[in-house]
Amino acid sequence: LVLAIVGLGLVTPAADAGPGFVRSLTVTGTAASMYPAFDAATTRYAVTTDATTGGTLTVTAATTDPAGHVWVDGVPASGPTQVTGLSAGDEVSVIIDDAAGRTPYSVMYLPNGFPKLTVTTPTSALAPQLVALTLNGFEAPVNGVSLPAFEAIVDRNGVPVYAAATGQQTLDLRQQPSGELTVSRATTAAGHTGTALVTLDDQMAEASRLDVKAPLTNTDGHDAVKLADGSTILLGYE
């Protein structure tokens, strides 16, 4: 995953289905919505969900090539296929094989409440790397319930390769000059307030935490730098 962020993106071109042939892919389900709109040359998609989606989607993929074949999660499909037991971050595999060749597509099942992302700049005008985001409404709780917040790493179509629900204080998911991935999350250090700088491993699990040194007690979450020489710069907000 870390290498993917600094390398080329994960979207690989796919040919059109060939003269006179058309490919299609739709995903439906309770409160489910796929994005972006299907294009044969775009291989990765995401589906927004809520608590009622229940880990169940109906995938309909086809090609008008009469000699074509479709597989959903490795099983031959000739019509709508129900996929069950999905959890946040799972991906449904869809393969279409026709006159244009064989193309693998994937559809990520997003965490409950993850928003549908829209790209406003043509992807042709953007470098192909991935983008790290912390999605947060910064709103006061409504009836005691906070709005959902997420960490995500997305491709240039806004489709995540990683997405996870997180806390309201989470900020600044990024790749550091050291090459490491970090994010600011609520501190757990005794006598401290604010956030801690969390370094993530290649499975996106916490590897280490850093807080400002006493007498400072509040590590600011808006910015921190881990340099290639091993040193770290934190901001204390007092």
Side-chain angles (χ1 to χ4, degrees):
L1 180 58
V2 176
L3 293 177
I5 293 173
V6 298
L8 296 179
L10 299 185
V11 176
T12 55
D16 292 333
F21 299 138
V22 177
R23 292 176 174 179
S24 61
L25 171 61
T26 60
V27 179
T28 58
T30 305
S33 178
M34 186 180 87
Y35 77 89
F38 179 71
D39 183 298
T42 300
T43 58
R44 301 194 69 256
Y45 299 86
V47 172
T48 57
T49 70
D50 71 10
T52 66
T53 310
T56 298
L57 299 174
T58 298
V59 178
T60 304
T63 173
T64 58
D65 181 353
H69 299 278
V70 174
W71 294 265
V72 176
D73 274 352
V75 178
S78 58
T81 300
Q82 189 176 76
V83 181
T84 61
L86 295 168
S87 299
D90 286 347
E91 296 201 18
V92 178
S93 166
V94 178
I95 296 174
I96 299 178
D97 190 350
D98 57 17
R102 177 175 295 193
T103 305
Y105 299 95
S106 66
V107 181
M108 175 181 274
Y109 189 94
L110 293 173
N112 178 6
F114 191 97
K116 182 177 181 178
L117 300 181
T118 301
V119 177
T120 57
T121 301
T123 55
S124 60
L126 301 173
Q129 285 85 1
L130 303 175
V131 180
L133 305 170
T134 40
L135 303 173
N136 196 323
F138 297 107
E139 301 284 347
V142 178
N143 297 324
V145 178
S146 295
L147 292 175
F150 303 94
E151 297 172 8
I153 298 174
V154 305
D155 66 21
R156 291 302 190 172
N157 290 308
V159 175
V161 298
Y162 164 75
T166 190
Q168 287 285 324
Q169 284 184 270
T170 298
L171 293 167
D172 202 33
L173 177 64
R174 64 158 71 185
Q175 187 172 43
Q176 294 284 352
S178 65
E180 298 167 288
L181 283 177
T182 63
V183 64
S184 289
R185 294 175 178 166
T187 185
T188 57
H192 282 68
T193 56
T195 63
L197 179 67
V198 175
T199 300
L200 304 172
D201 65 19
D202 59 4
Q203 299 299 311
M204 303 302 288
E206 290 195 13
S208 64
R209 282 175 167 252
L210 289 173
D211 293 83
V212 291
K213 186 176 180 179
L216 300 178
T217 61
N218 188 311
T219 308
D220 187 75
H222 288 89
D223 202 6
V225 181
K226 297 193 76 172
L227 299 174
D229 66 4
S231 59
T232 299
I233 301 171
L234 299 176
L235 298 182
Y237 184 79
E238 305 299 329

